[in-house]
């Protein structure tokens, strides 16, 4: 769902968004021959993003506040269709060198966007003038935005898989301690917790996305638990398949056993999983943290926590929203300074962004009393140091073909249509296919 945007941006966002959804927006339509300054003399700043729903509402409010604080900047925010349509248009805009001044990008997709060709580097001295420096970010996440010694992405947040739980159900099952979920250590203990919830309710204890068109839930679950074993799917440079069969099978067999025993809902898509939890029909939900606004709006008695360490490490699959500078042949001057100004302002005001569930990447915000008061959003903030991003490869990252294809493969393990061994063999085959395929974006490295 795309909520209405504030009036000063509605025409632009709605018109271009509709064309993007229909596939008729030319690759350079929003950026062609745009002047550096508006008729009023303010610096022109065009910002493309893919945020809708709760994200879009939060962002619209923040951009309105930024506009009020910066009357010298004429901000034009364009909401484009989430997923492949967005990334295709963003890449093509960079090819032409007539792109917007600023855009949003999932950090794990950076390698596929030809830093230095489709993207321009940030001016770190200019960011530092606004009080934003490298030390303000987790080192691993910051490094993922750096290529060839230049910074091409500035992280805004991380959005990991988390564990939602119904407080009333868990209290009935004796799983709460001081109102919080008691610590869970290991897969066997977590399985026993699920059995206790099922015994208390008479229904499956946990729901998660297990099927659906372009479903990615199976991949995100596998990636989370496989990363906890210390296993890697690709080499550090993203060029070789290095999956550990023993570790992968250990995870897949456990996932299969959960639905086989009736502890997880077997067949449900992403929206259905949210609905099941929303109605209090299960004790737990494994999913993305952005659903927090849904459950708070519906006054569900719930809380959230990090996914427990089941296989040896407390990691969780994640990606990060980040800011990038799409390539412009004549980047510089007031519009480029305005882009850096907006990035720094968004980071310093990311308490407002965190209300939607995302964990701020800007470390000073994590100690902000306003953020610490966000309940339950601040409960899982420590996961920032343990997120597992995809290896750097053009076919990885949010909305990528790898997520969708491997999501389909591993969903079969949850529904019972594939055995763990057959799913692993199929996953290997599909990953090899990606490795053998050049990056289809013009101008981008493979």
């Amino acid at each position: 769902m795309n909520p209405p945007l504030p009036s000063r941006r509605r025409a632009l966002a709605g018109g271009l968004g509709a064309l993007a959804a229909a596939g008729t927006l030319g690759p350079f339509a929003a950026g062609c021959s745009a002047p550096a300054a508006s008729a009023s003399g303010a610096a022109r700043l065009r910002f493309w993003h893919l945020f809708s729903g709760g994200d879009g509402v939060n962002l619209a409010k923040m951009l309105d506040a930024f506009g009020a604080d910066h009357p010298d900047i004429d901000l034009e925010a364009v909401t484009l269709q989430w997923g492949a349509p967005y990334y295709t248009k963003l890449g093509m805009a960079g090819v032409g060198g007539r792109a917007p001044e600023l855009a949003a990008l999932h950090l794990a997709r950076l390698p596929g966007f030809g830093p230095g060709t489709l993207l321009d580097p940030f001016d770190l001295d200019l960011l530092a003038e606004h009080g934003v420096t490298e030390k303000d970010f987790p080192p691993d996440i910051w490094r993922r935005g750096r290529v060839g010694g230049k910074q091409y992405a500035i992280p805004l947040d991380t959005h990991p898989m988390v564990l939602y739980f119904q407080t009333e159900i868990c209290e009935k099952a004796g799983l709460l301690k001081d109102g919080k979920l008691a610590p869970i250590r290991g897969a066997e203990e977590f399985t026993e917790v699920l059995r206790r919830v099922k015994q208390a309710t008479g229904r499956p204890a946990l729901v998660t996305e297990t099927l659906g068109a372009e479903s990615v839930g199976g991949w995100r679950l596998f990636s989370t638990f496989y990363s906890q074993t210390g296993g890697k799917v690709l080499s550090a440079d993203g060029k070789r398949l290095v999956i550990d069969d023993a570790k992968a099978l250990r995870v897949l067999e456990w996932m299969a056993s959960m639905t086989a025993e009736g502890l997880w809902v077997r067949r449900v898509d992403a929206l259905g999983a949210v609905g099941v939890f929303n109605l209090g029909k299960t004790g737990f939900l494994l999913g993305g943290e952005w659903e927090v606004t849904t459950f708070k709006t519906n006054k569900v008695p719930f809380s959230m926590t990090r996914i427990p360490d089941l296989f040896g490490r407390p990691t969780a699959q994640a990606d990060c929203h980040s800011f990038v500078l799409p390539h412009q042949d004549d980047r510089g001057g007031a519009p480029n300074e305005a882009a850096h100004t907006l990035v720094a302002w968004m980071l310093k005001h990311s308490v407002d962004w965190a209300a939607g569930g995302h964990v701020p990447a800007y470390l000073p915000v994590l100690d902000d009393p306003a953020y610490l008061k966000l309940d339950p959003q601040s409960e899982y903030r420590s996961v920032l140091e343990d997120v597992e991003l995809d290896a750097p490869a053009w076919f990885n990252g949010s909305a990528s073909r790898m997520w969708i294809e491997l999501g389909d493969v591993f969903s079969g393990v949850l529904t019972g249509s594939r055995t763990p061994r057959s799913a692993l063999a199929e996953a290997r085959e599909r990953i090899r296919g990606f490795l053998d395929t050049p990056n289809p974006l013009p101008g981008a490295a493979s």
Side-chain angles (χ1 to χ4, degrees):
M1 179 181 71
N2 292 315
L5 296 173
S7 58
R8 69 185 178 86
R9 292 191 297 276
R10 184 177 296 131
L12 181 67
L16 290 179
L19 289 172
T24 57
L25 176 62
F28 318 123
C32 283
S33 303
S38 66
S40 66
R44 177 69 57 85
L45 172 56
R46 293 156 296 165
F47 173 38
W48 285 11
H49 67 86
L50 69 176
F51 301 115
S52 59
D55 279 350
V57 171
N58 277 357
L59 180 64
K61 292 177 180 177
M62 293 177 73
L63 294 182
D64 277 339
F66 173 83
D69 287 349
H70 298 83
D72 58 328
I73 295 175
D74 183 12
L75 174 63
E76 297 176 353
V78 181
T79 308
L80 297 177
Q81 184 180 353
W82 196 93
Y86 175 79
Y87 283 117
T88 299
K89 295 181 190 306
L90 182 60
M92 292 303 293
V95 170
R98 307 177 70 116
E101 284 71 40
L102 185 67
L105 183 89
H106 285 99
L107 188 56
R109 296 199 65 137
L110 181 65
F113 270 77
T117 304
L118 302 183
L119 300 175
D120 295 331
F122 278 88
D123 183 334
L124 297 185
D125 290 336
L126 187 53
L127 279 178
E129 290 178 14
H130 291 282
V132 173
T133 64
E134 176 179 350
K135 65 179 177 57
D136 296 321
F137 301 86
D140 289 345
I141 290 177
W142 178 263
R143 280 195 293 267
R144 286 297 296 264
R146 176 162 288 187
V147 179
K150 297 180 179 180
Q151 197 71 25
Y152 286 93
I154 305 297
L156 171 62
D157 64 38
T158 187
H159 42 99
M161 290 283 282
V162 296
L163 183 67
Y164 297 81
F165 60 95
Q166 297 272 354
T167 53
E168 292 178 359
I169 291 176
C170 288
E171 184 174 21
K172 181 179 179 181
L175 301 174
L176 298 188
K177 183 177 181 180
D178 298 326
K180 302 182 185 300
L181 191 67
I184 298 170
R185 300 176 180 86
E188 290 184 5
E189 187 171 324
F190 186 55
T191 302
E192 185 56 36
V193 162
L194 298 181
R195 288 173 179 147
R196 288 171 61 179
V197 170
K198 183 180 180 181
Q199 184 177 18
T201 64
R203 294 187 292 264
L206 184 147
V207 66
T208 190
E209 176 187 0
T210 64
L211 51 77
E214 298 196 341
S215 169
V216 299
W219 161 251
R220 297 195 75 200
L221 285 175
F222 171 78
S223 179
T224 290
F225 295 125
Y226 177 66
S227 73
Q228 291 187 352
T229 70
K232 299 292 183 182
V233 173
L234 296 175
S235 56
D237 61 7
K239 295 181 178 179
R240 292 182 296 109
L241 177 64
V242 297
I243 196 165
D244 185 310
D245 285 6
K247 291 177 179 178
L249 285 172
R250 180 186 174 198
V251 168
L252 291 170
E253 287 169 355
W254 177 79
M255 288 168 56
S257 73
M258 293 297 96
T259 49
E261 191 177 335
L263 297 177
W264 291 10
V265 177
R266 183 184 289 270
R267 299 182 63 83
V268 64
D269 63 12
L271 288 177
V274 172
V276 167
F277 187 82
N278 191 58
L279 294 173
K281 293 185 176 181
T282 188
F284 296 99
L285 166 68
L286 278 170
E289 28 67 40
W290 51 83
E291 298 296 349
V292 61
T293 53
T294 299
F295 302 137
K296 288 179 79 71
T297 299
N298 292 324
K299 302 187 185 305
V300 176
F302 83 104
S303 191
M304 303 161 68
T305 189
R306 295 178 54 164
I307 292 179
D309 173 3
L310 304 188
F311 295 98
R313 301 169 69 233
T315 51
Q317 190 279 338
D319 206 338
C320 302
H321 294 121
S322 64
F323 295 105
V324 294
L325 303 174
H327 175 62
Q328 294 182 331
D329 291 336
D330 57 351
R331 177 171 290 282
N336 186 54
E337 291 183 17
H340 286 69
T341 299
L342 177 56
V343 169
W345 188 94
M346 287 288 294
L347 291 169
K348 292 183 176 182
H349 291 78
S350 53
V351 168
D352 297 327
W353 185 245
H358 305 320
V359 181
Y362 186 63
L363 294 177
V365 170
L366 298 184
D367 295 322
D368 188 323
Y371 176 68
L372 296 175
K373 288 180 181 178
L374 288 178
D375 182 25
Q377 291 93 326
S378 63
E379 291 292 329
Y380 48 89
R381 65 188 182 279
S382 62
V383 75
L384 187 63
E385 301 291 342
D386 295 306
V387 293
E388 186 74 13
L389 274 66
D390 293 349
W394 71 262
F395 49 83
N396 264 345
S398 294
S400 65
R401 291 308 308 172
M402 178 167 164
W403 277 36
I404 293 169
E405 291 198 22
L406 294 193
D408 176 64
V409 171
F410 294 132
S411 286
V413 174
L414 295 169
T415 62
S417 64
R418 292 181 187 268
T419 66
R421 287 188 178 277
S422 68
L424 179 57
E426 179 67 15
R428 277 182 163 276
E429 190 65 24
R430 296 200 187 192
I431 296 169
R432 288 193 187 99
F434 288 127
L435 288 168
D436 292 340
T437 303
N439 188 340
L441 265 180
S446 297

